[in-house]
Structure formats: structure tokens, C-alpha cells
Amino acid sequence: MKCLVNGQITTDTIATCQGYVLLEPVDVIAVQSFDQELYLEVSGYLLLSFVIGHGAGRVVRWMGKA
């Protein structure tokens, strides 16, 4: 990664960069590579918890009307 400060490109690290961080193609590839199986598992659990929570909320609402 490179750093852009006052119109000059430097090779500072992210922690010491006082301007804008410029990504190189290698950095973009590293960011884009994520674990698809983990993504599918987490999104599945989120969907399941939404459906269960929604159902539980409907039951509680139904019990409150009785």
C-alpha cells in the first residue's frame, strides 16, 4: 500500500499515513478473498434467528390478545 500526502506518494504504513491510503492490485485481491462457506453459514444462522424471532413475536402478540 502507498500513502498520498500533500500530492506526494510515499510508502508509509497504514498506521503512520497522514493522508490517503492507495490500494494496489495485490491488496485488493487480499481483501476480496473471503471464506464463502463461513459467509453462507453466518447468513443462514442470521436468517434462522430472524424467522424464529419473528415467530416468537407473533406468538407473544397472540397471547397478549387472549
Side-chain angles (χ1 to χ4, degrees), residues 7 23 29 34 44-45 49 55-56 59 65-66:
L23 296 175
I29 291 171
F34 64 94
Y45 283 133
S49 66
V59 168
K65 287 185 175 184

Side-chain angles (χ1 to χ4, degrees), residues 26-64:
V26 175
D27 302 323
V28 174
I29 291 171
V31 170
Q32 288 179 345
S33 63
F34 64 94
D35 190 4
Q36 185 176 5
E37 292 179 16
L38 178 63
Y39 172 77
L40 290 175
E41 185 174 349
V42 169
S43 61
Y45 283 133
L46 288 173
L47 180 61
L48 180 65
S49 66
F50 171 77
V51 170
I52 290 172
H54 181 69
R58 300 297 270 175
V59 168
V60 168
R61 183 176 178 200
W62 175 73
M63 290 176 67

